[in-house]
Amino acid sequence: MCARTRRGTPPRPPGPEQEAEAAEKMAAGAGWSMGAAERGGRGVETLCRGLLFCVLGCELHPQLKSSLFTLGFCWGNSVERKIYIPLNKTAPCVRLLNATHQIGCQSSMNGDTGVIHVVEKDQDLKWVLTDGPHPPYMVLLEGALFTRELMLQLKGSSRISGLAVAISKPSPAQGFSPGLKCPNDGFGVYSNDYGPQYAHCNWTMWNPLGNGLAYEDFNFPIFLLEDANETQVIKQCYQDHNLPQNGSVPEYPLCAMQLFAHMHAVTNTVTCMRRSSLQTAFSLNPEEVCDALSDYNVWSTLKAINTTSKIDPMDEVIIVATRIDSHSFFWNIAPGAESAVASFVTHLAAAEALHKVPDVQTLPRNIMFTFFQGETFDYIGSSRMVYDMENDKFPIRLDNIHSFLELSQVALRNSSVLWVHTDPVSQRNESIQTQVKTLVEALIHSSMSANMTLQEVSQSQPLPPSSFQRFLKARRIPGVVLADHRTSFQNRYYQSMYDTAENILMKYPEGLSPEETLDYVTDTAKSLAEVATVVARALYQLAGGTGNTSAIQADPRTISRMLYGFLIKTNNSWFQSIIKQDLKGLLGDELPQHYIAVTTLVNTTQLVQYVLANLTGTVVNFTKEECLNPEKTPNPEKEMYAYTWVQGSRDPNSTSRVPFCVQSTVRLTKAASPAFELKQWGSTEYSTWTESRWKDIRARIFLVASKELEIITLVVGIAILILSLLATYFINAKAHVLFSSPGDAGAVAY
């Protein structure tokens, strides 16, 4: 699939020519014929490599050397294509580390190989664990069986070399969450010093379906098979070669799989960061072994502020927040429909609705729209913003915060009820309790004319996992968290590959074109528009607005477009029109994923940035040069705004676009844990999550011969190699005779 020393974008799928070639090979059975090349795969590879080594390293006649090199190169390529069929649409489980543990999966340095066995029911496990005569085995596991109990059985067996998981369609009805039952435990506000009765989810188990599978450490590779066609090819190979017939043991050749996913980091973050720092300090070509999970938060304000200085201590700011990242068992598979997308789309729609209100620039209080990255991994984004505010590295201080409103999971409401969560400990302070009551009343009042109901949970219940907890940990701030659950999560697929558009009941009529699908207003979009409307109206009142709030209305069509773009297809006409021309690579036809990065901006962060600028910014009459370099213009407000030159929509009468300049208050700020800035890699206060580096991640299937035949083939290959070297030596010794031309002979005679 790819070769790299650090994680990056997923490998590109094969082009049409490669797919056609693979399909033709599979259909014709060329990949499964057991001819001489397949039977002697390893021996032939030894022979080819030996010949090429000789060709490259020996002093041969140039014409002979060129002929042998061409023959060896073509033969090696042809042999590999005949032996192996690559699996191009897969996602690996990779290794992550924190201050105390390593989790995830890895293969041996040269990959792990095993005979394929399909496990479709629990009884099939007996063959790979005890009965099968050809260990080690590569298990092809049906998605419905991908459970903690089964995985721990496989983990404890030396007969397993790896695992390929076929994604389950439809999603498992019983639910599936590889996350923890108590997400981000130990990094929120509740501890032995603050609400000890609420610490470690003692009061409420927020994610009861969480099996913790994503936080286990496996010493063999595990891959997700994303393409049903590739899964079927593997099953067909298994049925043709590995399936026992009439109780008899299958005979060689057998269908095998090889998985490459060797991880460079081991033990924990402290160890891997120390090794990386030593490499950087003493090596001319340092090879770091892990990277801190990091990205950027996106934020903007209703009223522009000067980001190069601090706002007045008397100015008050209401923070609206949500997370924009998700996670699952497999790398870069994080659809996060309910856990992230529905909430940040609602947040974006509320920001748009507020910016349309005529008198917002005169409101007594400002509003800050914040989108945190990395919250899945112990609140990376929010803890960094709090750290920056405490250390005067952010234009807004903690003392400027008037109140805090967070949108948690909001798409799966029962009977249109949205629950308001508050912190019972801080409300023991009468002043905080009064402010929280005002906040709750504003929300409930705003919902009265909407087709939904807001209810406050019991004041004895703690806050659910939320970014607000990190702010509350630093300062007693009045705030609420809005969620579709009163106690445990409604989301049955939290931090799972199944938390997709289907999970939040997004449905489209059949036969719609991509453009029609983009603009089709789903019931989910209408429901989220109601939430966004209530939030926008409440924020207007809390900011000191006195006007009629009935005109404040979120747009369901805009929400439909965002849901389509963030959950189904980023490469759509609307997203194309609102980004820079040089960022077209952000948009792809694959399902969008929302996993945090390690060194660069992820697609989600950049798209949220441009969508927010589009929804809340204004078009200004700047040239491209002025827009890209506002500091060179006499504009007195250049430090108050950010400027973006976007490519615009296509001209209806041509294929060209009409670009323009957008002025907005949208900014980026680091979402990197303070632990790495402070070099406190063993911190228990801040997130310490890192991701291992790797060189090669790929998967392939092939036919494997018996050990006896492999040894015979290897010996024959070595014998042929020796004979070839002898023949090459004698041919080279007589090259002046064999390769001389009649003209050369005449010249010598003369």
Side-chain angles (χ1 to χ4, degrees), residues 29 84 222 250-251 262 316 332 340 344 349 378 381 407 463 481 498 519 546 549 566 577 612 620 631 636 739 741 745:
Y84 301 109
I222 304 176
E251 297 181 358
H262 180 67
E316 293 183 321
N332 206 36
F344 75 68
D378 299 335
L407 289 166
L463 288 168
V481 176
Y498 301 114
D519 289 324
T546 57
T549 61
F566 285 112
S577 68
L612 183 60
V620 291
E631 68 279 358
F739 296 105
S741 63

Side-chain angles (χ1 to χ4, degrees), residues 97 265-266 268-277 289-290 690:
L97 310 97
V266 295
N268 53 42
T269 289
V270 177
T271 302
C272 81
M273 291 300 293
R274 184 178 66 245
R275 290 177 178 176
S276 293
S277 62
V289 295
C290 67
T690 54

Side-chain angles (χ1 to χ4, degrees), residues 14-15 27 34 157 171 192 222 309 353 372 397 428 437 451 466 488 491 510 566 574 579-580 601 640 658 668 699 742:
M34 199 57 190
S157 173
S171 302
N192 293 334
I222 304 176
S309 61
F372 291 121
R397 302 178 179 89
R428 295 170 187 168
K437 185 177 179 181
N451 187 26
S466 53
S488 300
N491 188 3
E510 294 183 3
F566 285 112
W574 185 48
I579 65 170
K580 295 179 180 179
L601 279 166
M640 309 284 283
V658 183
L668 298 177

Side-chain angles (χ1 to χ4, degrees), residues 254 497 552 612 624 731:
L254 297 172
M497 55 191 170
I552 302 177
L612 183 60
K624 183 177 181 180
I731 292 173

Side-chain angles (χ1 to χ4, degrees), residues 114 182 230 706:
C182 187
E230 288 189 343
S706 65

Side-chain angles (χ1 to χ4, degrees), residues 105-168:
C105 321
Q106 81 150 355
S107 73
S108 58
M109 187 170 294
N110 296 317
D112 289 324
T113 304
V115 174
I116 296 172
H117 190 78
V118 176
V119 174
E120 296 178 327
K121 53 186 183 296
D122 291 335
Q123 292 79 358
D124 296 335
L125 278 178
K126 189 178 179 184
W127 182 268
V128 298
L129 294 177
T130 57
D131 295 350
H134 306 301
Y137 285 96
M138 278 283 177
V139 176
L140 174 55
L141 188 68
E142 290 296 324
L145 297 178
F146 188 49
T147 62
R148 179 182 178 85
E149 294 73 24
L150 186 144
M151 290 301 298
L152 292 182
Q153 287 186 61
L154 299 180
K155 181 179 178 180
S157 173
S158 61
R159 293 168 56 88
I160 305 299
S161 60
L163 192 72
V165 180
I167 194 165
S168 181

